[in-house]
Amino acid sequence: MTADHDGQNRPHHYDEALAGAADQVETENGMTRRQLMRHAGWFGGAVVLTVAGGEVISHIAGSRDGATAGAPRPVAAGEKALRFVQVSDSHIGFRGPANMDVAGSFTDAVDQVNSLGFRPDFVIHSGDLTHLSTAGQFDQVKQMMSGMRTDRVFTVPGEHDSIGDAGRAYRHTFGAGTLGDGWYSFDTHGVHFIALVNTLSLEKLGHLGNEQIDFVRKDLAALPSDTPIVVFSHIPLFAMYPKWGWSTDDALQVIALLRRFSSVTCLNGHVHQLFTKTEGNITFHSATTTAYPLPKPGRAPAPTPQVVPARQLKQALGIRTVDYREGDRELAIKDQRLA
């Protein structure tokens, strides 16, 4: 696990850093320089995406085509819809110049969930609930999430939730009903959800293991290929930036099992910034954080907490909402800032 540090890193202009890092990123995560440049504009921006019939339509919120391209349509009266929220990387227990009050910013995220204008069917927390995986931190974040106006909260662990005990304290608090090291699946509104744990092998951060891959194989075996699939994990299942541990070394075995499905969405945290990548039928979405920003790939020697002016911090933090209407095969994802 890469250790976090509290020292301030001096910012560089992103385009200059990207120009120097693009060729390296191309060889490490399979993206061309052109793809990286196109996706780079989405770092720190609110992105709205729609998946319909396997085709992904996306735009940056507020762009000229934002009124039409990928914009979620209103839910009609009596229409059966699934609405859920993703929060990530609350890091309860962290204290440093990057954010002296992570509990306060997570409280703001909870308040934002409660002010969406609808009651989410559930909330997903995609890991690093705590910063040091202490019993007190787990109790605190669990109590804070109990204030969310939703029917249920689902979680997966981050590497910060597994420090020193291979995730035992996490599973004691959040692991009821899960299998193995905390993985599980469930169905709702015609969508199949799979929660994966890829943070326990700290020597090769981003690892699933044979037992969990076998669970996915058996879990998917009986599902028809037109079932919408949503997978959530802490570390990305694609090679976003392996040098920093922003990838999962054996994820291709799971990706191969997902190829037969017409619509697959993978949600992750860990990188503390928005990023989207599409590979055939699978779209990967990295979420932002409620704690502190991390640097863009190649912009710093290591992924350490970034200090920004206090008035700008909430522009780097946020939540994600997802709408799905059973029957019309449409999945809409929207990222919203805490500011």
Side-chain angles (χ1 to χ4, degrees), residues 173-290:
T173 306
F174 295 102
T178 64
L179 302 172
D181 290 321
W183 54 80
Y184 56 96
S185 66
F186 63 94
D187 297 275
T188 183
H189 293 72
V191 182
H192 187 69
F193 288 81
I194 306 174
L196 298 180
V197 178
N198 56 359
T199 57
L200 296 185
S201 180
L202 300 185
E203 308 81 34
K204 43 184 178 179
L205 190 56
H207 183 74
L208 296 166
N210 292 334
E211 183 181 358
Q212 189 168 195
I213 294 170
D214 189 53
F215 157 75
V216 175
R217 180 179 296 107
K218 294 175 181 177
D219 184 68
L220 295 174
L223 296 178
S225 59
D226 61 349
T227 305
I229 307 292
V230 175
V231 181
F232 61 101
S233 62
H234 181 63
I235 297 174
L237 294 178
F238 68 99
M240 181 174 176
Y241 202 62
K243 180 184 292 186
W244 284 356
W246 291 5
S247 65
T248 301
D249 66 354
D250 52 357
L252 288 179
Q253 297 181 62
V254 168
I255 299 304
L257 297 171
L258 295 169
R259 288 296 182 197
R260 72 178 179 89
F261 295 93
S262 58
S263 176
V264 180
T265 303
C266 296
L267 306 176
N268 67 268
H270 188 55
V271 303
H272 291 217
Q273 55 201 268
L274 302 178
F275 194 85
T276 294
K277 178 178 173 65
T278 300
E279 294 182 351
N281 62 318
I282 304 175
T283 302
F284 304 89
H285 299 289
S286 295
T288 189
T289 172
T290 70

Side-chain angles (χ1 to χ4, degrees), residues 29 63 66 120 146 151 157 199 219:
N29 68 13
S63 62
S146 71
D151 294 335
T199 57
D219 184 68

Side-chain angles (χ1 to χ4, degrees), residues 41-339:
W42 295 3
F43 279 115
V47 184
V48 181
L49 298 105
T50 300
V51 181
E55 180 182 3
V56 178
I57 304 171
S58 60
H59 73 274
I60 300 174
S63 62
R64 287 180 298 174
D65 61 346
T68 55
R73 62 174 174 81
V75 180
E79 184 177 20
K80 189 176 182 181
L82 169 66
R83 288 180 164 182
F84 68 91
V85 173
Q86 180 188 8
V87 297
S88 196
D89 295 89
S90 50
H91 284 272
I92 296 301
F94 172 86
R95 186 173 179 84
N99 187 346
M100 298 298 290
D101 186 16
V102 293
S105 56
F106 190 56
T107 296
D108 290 341
V110 172
D111 291 342
Q112 188 172 25
V113 171
N114 294 341
S115 303
L116 288 171
F118 63 90
R119 180 184 176 90
D121 292 280
F122 54 86
V123 174
I124 289 172
H125 193 306
S126 50
D128 280 353
L129 295 91
T130 70
H131 196 64
L132 297 174
S133 66
T134 68
Q137 291 171 6
F138 283 124
D139 289 344
Q140 182 179 2
V141 71
K142 183 177 183 180
Q143 180 63 34
M144 295 175 76
M145 289 194 298
S146 71
M148 291 177 174
R149 298 183 189 127
T150 185
D151 294 335
R152 189 168 179 186
V153 176
F154 295 97
T155 66
V156 290
E159 76 277 12
H160 283 265
D161 301 316
S162 309
I163 295 173
D165 68 351
R168 284 188 293 275
Y170 163 83
R171 291 190 295 274
H172 177 76
T173 306
F174 295 102
T178 64
L179 302 172
D181 290 321
W183 54 80
Y184 56 96
S185 66
F186 63 94
D187 297 275
T188 183
H189 293 72
V191 182
H192 187 69
F193 288 81
I194 306 174
L196 298 180
V197 178
N198 56 359
T199 57
L200 296 185
S201 180
L202 300 185
E203 308 81 34
K204 43 184 178 179
L205 190 56
H207 183 74
L208 296 166
N210 292 334
E211 183 181 358
Q212 189 168 195
I213 294 170
D214 189 53
F215 157 75
V216 175
R217 180 179 296 107
K218 294 175 181 177
D219 184 68
L220 295 174
L223 296 178
S225 59
D226 61 349
T227 305
I229 307 292
V230 175
V231 181
F232 61 101
S233 62
H234 181 63
I235 297 174
L237 294 178
F238 68 99
M240 181 174 176
Y241 202 62
K243 180 184 292 186
W244 284 356
W246 291 5
S247 65
T248 301
D249 66 354
D250 52 357
L252 288 179
Q253 297 181 62
V254 168
I255 299 304
L257 297 171
L258 295 169
R259 288 296 182 197
R260 72 178 179 89
F261 295 93
S262 58
S263 176
V264 180
T265 303
C266 296
L267 306 176
N268 67 268
H270 188 55
V271 303
H272 291 217
Q273 55 201 268
L274 302 178
F275 194 85
T276 294
K277 178 178 173 65
T278 300
E279 294 182 351
N281 62 318
I282 304 175
T283 302
F284 304 89
H285 299 289
S286 295
T288 189
T289 172
T290 70
Y292 50 78
L294 291 177
K296 316 305 186 279
R299 179 171 161 175
T304 55
Q306 299 292 282
V307 178
V308 299
R311 65 182 181 278
Q312 297 178 15
L313 178 59
K314 288 187 179 180
Q315 290 289 342
L317 312 179
I319 67 171
R320 166 174 288 157
T321 61
V322 182
D323 289 357
Y324 175 75
R325 286 88 175 171
E326 187 173 1
D328 68 0
R329 293 179 48 76
E330 181 178 308
L331 180 68
I333 296 177
K334 183 177 182 180
D335 291 289
Q336 300 173 273
R337 295 298 178 184
L338 291 188

